[in-house]
Amino acid sequence: MKESKTDRFRRVAEARVNKIIKMIRLLGNCSGTGVYEYTDTQAAYIFSALQSELDKAKRRFRKPSPGKHRFSLTDTNEFDDDRPLEPTIALALPDGSYLRAVVYEDDHFPAINIYWDRDGGKSSELLCFAEYNSERAEGAQICIGTYVSDEDETQYYAPYMAERNNEP
């Protein structure tokens, strides 16, 4: 009896996911500083590349997209200035564009930036951000900022609780 497409998908997908999980666990073994030496930037490149490939695979289940890219730490030129080196997640929008959230770890201003990626990733625009501002008073340290298209400066920046703190 011929295997159905559903059964074939289940069999192949389960095998591949288990293989990927095993490989991720093996990658985790590279974190042992007794055996390996690496920089934070190298670790960020690794996880940025993995997240990017996960995002691409997820999008393919919505619509096919051509092109494959092999990850390498030896050629750092493959990472352009627009490619995030920090944890990232992307949300596909119905028009084919994406909202992308990027985590930026910083001692004084850790933040999450939201970008709007269009034209297959060729055009990216920073829309807004939420950050922890260590220079603000306690209770006003979580701040929100927004941008306007074609403007470099922040158009709005205030503590998240600003309006609530001004209520009588």
Side-chain angles (χ1 to χ4, degrees), residues 8-74:
R8 185 175 331 125
F9 172 78
R10 184 177 296 122
R11 178 179 53 81
V12 171
E14 285 176 1
R16 289 180 182 177
V17 167
N18 284 317
K19 185 175 182 178
I20 291 165
I21 289 170
K22 180 179 179 182
M23 296 307 295
I24 289 171
R25 289 176 181 157
L26 287 172
L27 174 63
N29 291 344
C30 291
S31 67
T33 56
V35 179
Y36 303 104
E37 185 175 323
Y38 55 89
T39 67
D40 289 343
T41 301
Q42 288 173 319
Y45 277 134
I46 289 168
F47 291 101
S48 177
L50 289 172
Q51 187 63 56
S52 176
E53 290 303 318
L54 282 171
D55 293 342
K56 288 177 192 175
K58 189 175 183 179
R59 288 191 296 264
R60 288 182 66 191
F61 278 88
R62 292 193 179 116
K63 66 177 184 180
S65 64
K68 294 182 181 176
H69 182 269
R70 182 150 174 82
F71 173 74
S72 170
L73 281 173
T74 42

Side-chain angles (χ1 to χ4, degrees), residues 1-160:
M1 183 171 172
K2 188 175 176 183
E3 183 179 39
S4 72
K5 288 182 178 182
T6 301
D7 289 340
R8 185 175 331 125
F9 172 78
R10 184 177 296 122
R11 178 179 53 81
V12 171
E14 285 176 1
R16 289 180 182 177
V17 167
N18 284 317
K19 185 175 182 178
I20 291 165
I21 289 170
K22 180 179 179 182
M23 296 307 295
I24 289 171
R25 289 176 181 157
L26 287 172
L27 174 63
N29 291 344
C30 291
S31 67
T33 56
V35 179
Y36 303 104
E37 185 175 323
Y38 55 89
T39 67
D40 289 343
T41 301
Q42 288 173 319
Y45 277 134
I46 289 168
F47 291 101
S48 177
L50 289 172
Q51 187 63 56
S52 176
E53 290 303 318
L54 282 171
D55 293 342
K56 288 177 192 175
K58 189 175 183 179
R59 288 191 296 264
R60 288 182 66 191
F61 278 88
R62 292 193 179 116
K63 66 177 184 180
S65 64
K68 294 182 181 176
H69 182 269
R70 182 150 174 82
F71 173 74
S72 170
L73 281 173
T74 42
D75 184 9
T76 56
N77 291 332
E78 68 188 54
F79 299 102
D80 61 357
D81 291 338
D82 294 331
R83 183 181 177 133
L85 302 178
E86 302 294 344
T88 300
I89 189 165
L91 173 67
L93 301 176
D95 66 358
S97 64
Y98 294 87
L99 287 178
R100 178 171 45 99
V102 181
V103 173
Y104 291 96
E105 295 184 31
D106 183 277
D107 290 339
H108 300 289
F109 298 96
I112 297 175
N113 288 359
I114 307 292
Y115 296 88
W116 183 26
D117 296 337
R118 300 176 310 281
D119 304 323
K122 295 176 187 170
S123 175
S124 183
E125 182 178 346
L126 177 60
L127 299 177
C128 60
F129 62 92
E131 73 178 5
Y132 177 89
N133 185 334
S134 62
E135 296 175 356
R136 296 277 180 156
E138 190 171 332
Q141 293 169 318
I142 301 296
C143 297
I144 307 237
T146 61
Y147 293 91
V148 173
S149 183
D150 300 327
E151 301 269 339
D152 289 335
E153 297 298 317
T154 306
Q155 296 300 304
Y156 172 84
Y157 184 82
Y160 173 68

